[in-house]
Amino acid sequence: MAIKKIKTLYDVICPFCGTLCDDVEVDIAENKVVEVRNACQIGTKKFFSSNPSEHRYETPMIRKKGKLEPASWEEAIDKAADILTKAKRPLLYGFSSTECEAQSKGVELAEMLGGILDNTASVCHGPSLLAKQDVGQPGSTLGEFKNRADLVIFWGSNPVHAHPRHLGRYSEFVRGYFRKDGRNDRTIVVVDPRNTHTAQIADLYIQVKPNEDYELLNAIRALLRGVELDVEEVSGVPMDQIKELVNTLKTCNFGVIFFGMGLTQSLSHHRNIDAAICLTRELNDHTKFLITPMRGHYNVAGANQVFSWNTGYAYSIDFSKGYPRYNPGEFSAVEVLIKNQIDASLIVASDPASNFPAASARNLFKYPLIVIDPHETPTSANADIVLPAAIAGIEAEGTAYRMDNVPLRLRKVKDAPGESISDKEILEKLIEKVKEKRGE
Amino acid sequence: MAEIKLKLKKPLVFPLEAESITPDNFAGKSNDEIKKLVAYSGNEESTLGQFFNVSGKSGEKDELKIIIDGDISNVKRIGEKMTAGEIIINSDVGMHVGNEMSGGKITVNGNADDWAGAMMKGGELEINGDAGNYVGAAYRGYWKGMKNGIIKVKGKVGVESMLWADGSVPAKRFPTLICGSAGSFLGIHNNGGTIIVEGDIDRCAGADQIKGMIVVKGTAPKILPSFKKIGEVKEIELLNGEKITGKFIEYAGDHSVKKNHSVVDKKTGELNKGVNGRLYIAA
Ligand code: SF4
């Protein structure tokens, strides 16, 4: 038996969740991932997903007579560029699971086309950004929390499952400079309607009624100001427990609220965050307090950064007048799809068909659909053109922003299979072709 | 009164952005000149004439009445920044109708989509059907929304109407919304706006209200815990001096906001409710 030569790469960044762990070790043999160390289960799975499988695209595909058939890059790019140049209201969506350089190319293409540009923040932490635009946001990098925080609140977030190593690296078990005893030096509070696994390891668990977080935040803010309330319970939480919580908040040395989609995507959406941010701001009259969203996709924070520095806006951008305009609810992907206001779309590193409301997914499939993705997804299975991508952070380099907006350099640990090339190169080819077709 | 009639030629495929439809822009122009005014559809710059038949005769802007027929539920920004004259819309209308208008009157004989009368500075917007979300609201990221003028909606207004309304009694600015019923977060971050609801409201009315008044003649499902009941009143004096009679329960709030006048006295621990925002619910 021939002995395989194994190459080990150290300090690899995990391109899965917003925690962006930077200490992963990957063993590669014959261009395959054979072992992953340090990453959590989901991160490990992502590295293994890059190995050859029937779900992986290796050549461009074009739908011919109702079936996706392999095609040459030349033909696929030509056809894709044709669709995009002819479109009067193309939608460019996705971008959160690829690297910043590709995202930047996406902005360039959207501007050239006069299209609508959106990223997945519009269905996850978009509300956080809306609130931030209304009332600001006191936050910091994760290292600060690790070294200083003695009170950590997870509100509507469940890191045990969604960001598994967050607890070990930054927020719960880890030893920090001023928190030498790790978990014992921190008080953990979880506010959630469900008794999650994160709640089960907390010191204080507050079970709030679903969709009533706003009322609870509102009561806490009033109590914090010394206002006595006329009610006995708020959102299913007895007044005694709320008062205990307020006391815990006021008396800590350094507190942080990590909030997730339990806040952004429940009934009051961005107003939950608005109130949570105002609470954080007001807590700084008593002690040091900060607030940070638990971003899901590993580079959704980067998508917001890149879109912002290119256009001034983080997501839901319309270029139809030649300059960027911003209005979630008017230019967000779900909205323009539900209202049937597009005539072609380009989806980059995302799977809206699985995540969007059925009505918008249906309208997505009504018009020419181009998908850039390494894998087969419900979206790509319905595409007219599929452009096979190398997996950013595993098969292509680039930059990604951690949930606290710290940029990190993604590594390439193996080659992409078949004819796959990076998202950035694909978008560059599209841009060139669109220019050519317009005679520029 | 001079009158211009616009009639939509054929159904729209994409939303049409027609901020050029205002008495200000039409004043003193021939019908051919009006047809050449810019409108945007998809990523193309086009003209009003492409989409509308134009008839009638223009005149001075104060005297000018624009009447629009045909299904324009997908036409946005009609009456944007208008200062005078009148627009009558005999259809449902798209987003941003009458946004930032400062004078004149718009009547919508149908429903209006989101952002009707957003950031209004004056004039009157009357909607004889329902209105979408963010009626008379501040645009994203603005801390100062509707400054003056009045919006009347026969039916329901959507969520977050009158967001960051910005009135001032000394400056005699009274941004006002009168509506049939309202969605949640009515008058959130209200800072001097007046809101009168003939029917019912949804949850979280007056959230983060600093000052201003919300009068509800119907019912409210639940009032935010940070609102304090003051008592029962038989008459309400609005910020502009007008009066409403009827039995109401008076609440002060929102007391969760730091930046308001609901000061807690350090010595007595008493709450000064005197100058705070108000919420009245029919008793
Ligand atoms: S916590 Fe997130 S970034 Fe870290 S290894 Fe797991 S999936 Fe990857």
Side-chain angles (χ1 to χ4, degrees):
Chain A
M1 201 178 88
I3 295 169
K4 285 187 198 161
K5 229 176 131 203
I6 293 181
K7 185 173 79 179
T8 303
L9 289 109
Y10 300 94
D11 296 334
V12 176
I13 304 222
C14 167
F16 186 80
C17 84
T19 315
L20 228 55
C21 297
D22 50 11
D23 59 348
V24 178
E25 294 174 16
V26 186
D27 290 347
I28 304 286
E30 293 175 341
N31 201 36
K32 276 191 202 133
V33 175
V34 291
E35 179 71 284
V36 178
R37 283 179 298 277
N38 294 351
C40 71
Q41 286 211 26
I42 17 181
T44 304
K45 261 259 158 23
K46 169 132 188 194
F47 279 100
F48 277 105
S49 80
S50 70
N51 285 343
S53 76
E54 73 228 61
H55 305 297
R56 197 74 207 262
Y57 292 114
E58 299 197 1
T59 65
M61 310 283 269
I62 296 181
R63 190 168 296 278
K64 287 176 184 156
K65 292 200 190 100
K67 254 188 84 186
L68 278 173
E69 306 277 4
S72 70
W73 270 109
E74 183 53 35
E75 193 190 354
I77 290 286
D78 189 75
K79 251 190 133 171
D82 215 41
I83 291 170
L84 294 173
T85 27
K86 283 191 184 130
K88 294 205 165 63
R89 209 168 154 79
L91 166 70
L92 282 73
Y93 176 80
F95 300 103
S96 303
S97 285
T98 187
E99 37 87 30
C100 294
E101 289 76 358
Q103 291 164 349
S104 201
K105 290 289 163 196
V107 179
E108 192 181 332
L109 183 59
E111 184 172 5
M112 282 172 69
L113 298 171
I116 292 169
L117 177 69
D118 201 3
N119 58 55
T120 63
S122 89
V123 292
C124 64
H125 272 286
S128 316
L129 296 160
L130 283 178
K132 193 168 165 180
Q133 283 153 6
D134 263 10
V135 292
Q137 187 209 324
S140 92
T141 52
L142 295 172
E144 281 308 287
F145 302 136
K146 166 189 158 187
N147 287 320
R148 295 172 194 275
D150 62 341
L151 174 61
V152 179
I153 299 175
F154 294 105
W155 199 313
S157 66
N158 184 13
V160 169
H161 292 293
H163 301 82
R165 296 187 67 215
H166 194 279
L167 302 166
R169 282 171 64 82
Y170 304 111
S171 51
E172 186 154 342
F173 307 110
V174 65
R175 288 164 203 271
Y177 189 81
F178 298 107
R179 302 290 159 233
K180 292 248 172 351
D181 209 6
R183 174 69 179 89
N184 298 333
D185 277 353
R186 291 190 188 91
T187 305
I188 310 291
V189 178
V190 169
V191 187
D192 206 299
R194 293 177 307 149
N195 189 358
T196 60
H197 285 139
T198 310
Q200 285 160 20
I201 50 172
D203 299 298
L204 176 63
Y205 166 49
I206 301 210
Q207 187 161 29
V208 57
K209 276 196 194 149
N211 289 325
E212 291 188 12
D213 302 81
Y214 189 88
E215 286 83 347
L216 183 58
L217 284 161
N218 175 271
I220 296 174
R221 287 172 62 199
L223 286 169
L224 189 70
R225 298 190 56 240
V227 179
E228 276 298 321
L229 304 183
D230 302 338
V231 288
E232 268 150 36
E233 55 110 47
V234 178
S235 318
V237 186
M239 192 49 74
D240 289 346
Q241 207 183 16
I242 303 178
K243 285 191 173 158
E244 183 195 334
L245 176 62
V246 171
N247 201 39
T248 313
L249 295 174
K250 268 162 90 170
T251 49
C252 75
N253 290 326
F254 188 118
V256 51
I257 301 174
F258 289 112
F259 64 95
M261 295 194 4
L263 265 198
T264 66
Q265 297 297 340
S266 60
L267 195 55
S268 305
H269 297 274
H270 53 296
R271 290 308 162 201
N272 284 331
I273 316 305
D274 177 338
I277 291 173
C278 289
L279 168 65
T280 309
R281 204 167 57 193
E282 286 145 18
L283 277 164
N284 281 287
D285 289 351
H286 305 271
T287 178
K288 175 77 185 171
F289 232 97
L290 298 168
I291 181 164
T292 290
M294 297 286 262
R295 306 303 300 264
H297 289 293
Y298 75 89
N299 199 21
V300 62
N304 297 150
Q305 292 281 350
V306 172
F307 284 19
S308 298
W309 82 57
N310 278 297
T311 71
Y313 307 113
Y315 68 110
S316 297
I317 300 156
D318 171 65
F319 280 108
S320 64
K321 283 191 175 176
Y323 57 89
R325 289 182 301 161
Y326 160 76
N327 197 11
E330 184 174 5
F331 305 131
S332 35
V334 171
E335 209 66 26
V336 291
L337 284 171
I338 283 192
K339 292 189 175 158
N340 200 9
Q341 292 176 346
I342 63 150
D343 60 352
S345 52
L346 170 67
I347 308 296
V348 183
S350 179
D351 180 20
S354 314
N355 302 305
F356 280 13
S360 34
R362 258 198 301 280
N363 285 339
L364 180 72
F365 298 152
K366 255 197 212 161
Y367 304 100
L369 169 62
I370 307 158
V371 172
I372 301 179
D373 209 297
H375 291 110
E376 190 179 346
T377 66
T379 308
S380 74
N382 287 286
D384 297 287
I385 299 171
V386 178
L387 304 170
I391 301 176
I394 298 176
E395 297 161 351
E397 292 194 325
T399 306
Y401 279 74
R402 204 166 64 187
M403 61 166 73
D404 55 347
N405 290 317
V406 171
L408 295 166
R409 191 71 187 161
L410 302 172
R411 306 265 303 269
K412 175 178 172 173
V413 299
K414 63 185 275 280
D415 294 321
E419 294 173 32
S420 313
I421 54 175
S422 72
D423 293 312
K424 177 172 165 246
E425 288 168 297
I426 299 173
L427 286 162
E428 275 169 352
K429 275 181 190 279
L430 278 173
I431 290 170
E432 279 314 305
K433 205 54 173 191
V434 168
K435 276 190 187 156
E436 192 188 306
K437 288 199 184 276
R438 291 173 161 187
E440 280 171 19
Chain B
M1 203 173 193
E3 207 175 89
I4 289 283
K5 278 195 165 164
L6 298 179
K7 183 152 194 332
L8 193 70
K9 287 179 176 170
K10 54 177 194 292
L12 296 166
V13 181
F14 300 117
L16 182 70
E17 303 216 13
E19 57 266 44
S20 51
I21 304 180
T22 62
D24 303 71
N25 285 330
F26 284 14
K29 288 200 171 69
S30 72
N31 291 4
D32 279 341
E33 284 169 325
I34 290 172
K35 280 182 194 158
K36 285 195 192 111
L37 287 172
V38 175
Y40 300 86
S41 167
N43 54 13
E44 287 175 333
E45 189 175 308
S46 186
T47 59
L48 284 183
Q50 289 269 328
F51 297 93
F52 291 98
N53 291 318
V54 181
S55 59
K57 200 172 172 341
S58 182
E60 295 284 310
K61 68 175 178 184
D62 302 284
E63 303 276 280
L64 182 57
K65 189 192 237 176
I66 302 172
I67 301 171
I68 313 175
D69 288 299
D71 177 9
I72 57 157
S73 56
N74 218 358
V75 181
K76 296 180 185 175
R77 299 184 179 276
I78 291 176
E80 174 170 291
K81 297 185 182 163
M82 73 184 257
T83 63
E86 200 178 339
I87 301 178
I88 294 172
I89 299 167
N90 293 317
S91 156
D92 293 349
V93 69
M95 286 188 189
H96 308 283
V97 64
N99 80 91
E100 290 183 72
M101 70 187 279
S102 57
K105 181 173 178 183
I106 300 178
T107 309
V108 181
N109 292 316
N111 302 329
D113 207 337
D114 302 350
W115 303 101
M119 311 216 27
M120 237 168 105
K121 297 188 181 83
E124 188 178 339
L125 170 62
E126 189 171 346
I127 297 164
N128 286 318
D130 294 335
N133 304 320
Y134 293 100
V135 175
Y139 280 129
R140 307 290 189 194
Y142 284 90
W143 289 27
K144 293 193 169 173
M146 182 168 166
K147 285 212 156 58
N148 210 345
I150 180 162
I151 304 176
K152 292 179 190 161
V153 181
K154 258 233 177 75
K156 186 179 158 75
V157 299
V159 303
E160 294 197 19
S161 293
M162 299 294 274
L163 164 69
W164 293 108
D166 178 39
S168 162
V169 176
K172 297 207 168 49
R173 289 192 286 102
F174 306 106
T176 305
L177 167 69
I178 301 173
C179 59
S181 62
S184 59
F185 290 99
L186 176 68
I188 175 168
H189 289 292
N190 185 12
N191 193 2
T194 303
I195 302 170
I196 299 161
V197 189
E198 301 295 339
D200 305 338
I201 58 168
D202 206 337
R203 51 195 282 280
C204 299
D208 273 68
Q209 166 170 266
I210 297 165
K211 57 185 196 266
M213 272 185 187
I214 303 173
V215 180
V216 182
K217 297 185 183 170
T219 59
K222 217 200 274 177
I223 290 164
L224 281 173
S226 58
F227 274 76
K228 298 281 274 185
K229 188 171 165 179
I230 296 182
E232 235 182 73
V233 292
K234 290 207 182 76
E235 189 183 70
I236 302 167
E237 190 182 333
L238 298 177
L239 296 167
N240 63 3
E242 280 172 28
K243 294 200 167 103
I244 293 181
T245 47
K247 262 184 147 182
F248 291 93
I249 300 173
E250 183 179 13
Y251 296 88
D254 181 341
H255 290 295
S256 75
V257 197
K258 192 172 145 198
K259 192 190 147 197
N260 70 3
H261 310 281
S262 76
V263 190
V264 183
D265 192 300
K266 284 236 167 64
K267 275 188 211 129
T268 60
E270 289 269 313
L271 187 68
N272 175 7
K273 300 169 193 158
V275 275
N276 200 245
R278 286 288 184 273
L279 173 64
Y280 298 91
I281 312 277

